[in-house]
Structures are given as C-alpha cells and as structure tokens.
Amino acid sequence: MVLANVSERGIVVKLPHLVGQRFEELANLIGPAGAFALEGKTSAVALSTFRAHESLRASLCHGVGKIVLDQQGGWLLVLRTLAFRSKQPQRTVLVIEENEAEGLVKSLQAAGQRLRSELGNLRHTLSPT
C-alpha cells in the first residue's frame, strides 16, 4: 500500500481484512483530519461519492438473486441476503427494477471511474520519484 510506505506518516496506516473497514480506514486517512488530508482532498470527495453506493455492496456481492418479469415485460432483480449480527440472523431483500438498475449502473460506473482516477493521482503524488 502506497500510503504505508510514506515516511513518518505511513506508520499510522492499517490494512483491515474486510472491504468495508478498508474503505473506512482510507476515508479516515485522506479525510480532513487524516495523515494524508492535504494530498487526498480530491480523493476523499471521490471516495465519499463512491461510498454512497455502499449499501448495495453486500447484496450484490453476497446475495442470492432471481430475475422476474413484471406484467409489462420489464424485469426486476430480487436479491436475498442472510447476515449474522450479534449471532442473530438478519435477512434482507432488495428489489431493483430494470429502469432503476440502469441508473444505478451508470452512477456506480461513473463514481468508480472517478475514484480509480483520483486514487491513481494520489498514488502518483505519494510515490517516490
């Protein structure tokens, strides 16, 4: 990780196991009070925009899905997820309509591309020359 290799400031960098925790750690490091706040200002904005889609992650990555057709011939994606929180099962169902999915995909692609670009710029800025 590039941030961990930056002298002095890199010592505070942790690499958590779970992806949600990694996003949180990155947000803290490049956020206003973070060790890389100055260099990471635009990356922090891009990360925040990308994380607006974070609620979809568990369902898309771990959910079991079905596609069903409605009466007008449009499709719906039904994602069922089972998670255990405090040793208790928690079931969620996410239903996404075809027209909603198209907007979500475009928004997620744009946010992901911007985040990749900004993090690439941050990596270039912090990498030794």
Side-chain angles (χ1 to χ4, degrees):
M1 183 176 195
V2 173
L3 299 178
N5 293 328
V6 174
S7 63
E8 297 176 18
R9 293 184 292 166
I11 198 160
V12 299
V13 176
K14 294 177 248 158
L15 188 59
H17 181 70
L18 301 175
V19 71
Q21 293 170 346
R22 288 183 181 198
F23 280 134
E24 190 62 32
E25 175 69 6
L26 180 59
N28 289 334
L29 289 167
I30 63 177
F36 300 92
L38 181 63
E39 300 92 339
K41 191 174 186 178
T42 56
S43 296
V45 173
L47 179 61
S48 177
T49 301
F50 181 79
R51 288 185 78 188
H53 300 287
E54 199 166 10
S55 62
L56 295 171
R57 188 190 60 75
S59 294
L60 291 174
C61 294
H62 305 293
V64 175
K66 287 184 182 180
I67 297 179
V68 297
L69 295 176
D70 64 17
Q71 293 174 339
Q72 290 78 32
W75 56 261
L76 297 119
L77 173 61
V78 180
L79 292 166
R80 297 180 185 277
T81 309
L82 172 64
F84 289 90
R85 303 216 193 301
S86 302
K87 298 183 182 181
Q88 298 297 314
Q90 183 180 29
R91 299 175 193 278
T92 58
V93 177
L94 175 64
V95 179
I96 303 173
E97 295 182 16
E98 182 176 2
N99 60 350
E100 181 186 9
E102 292 170 1
L104 281 171
V105 167
K106 287 178 183 175
S107 178
L108 188 55
Q109 286 175 331
Q113 177 58 43
R114 180 169 176 223
L115 180 59
R116 284 189 300 274
S117 176
E118 292 298 340
L119 291 177
N121 292 339
L122 179 62
R123 174 180 288 199
H124 183 264
T125 299
L126 294 174
S127 293
T129 54

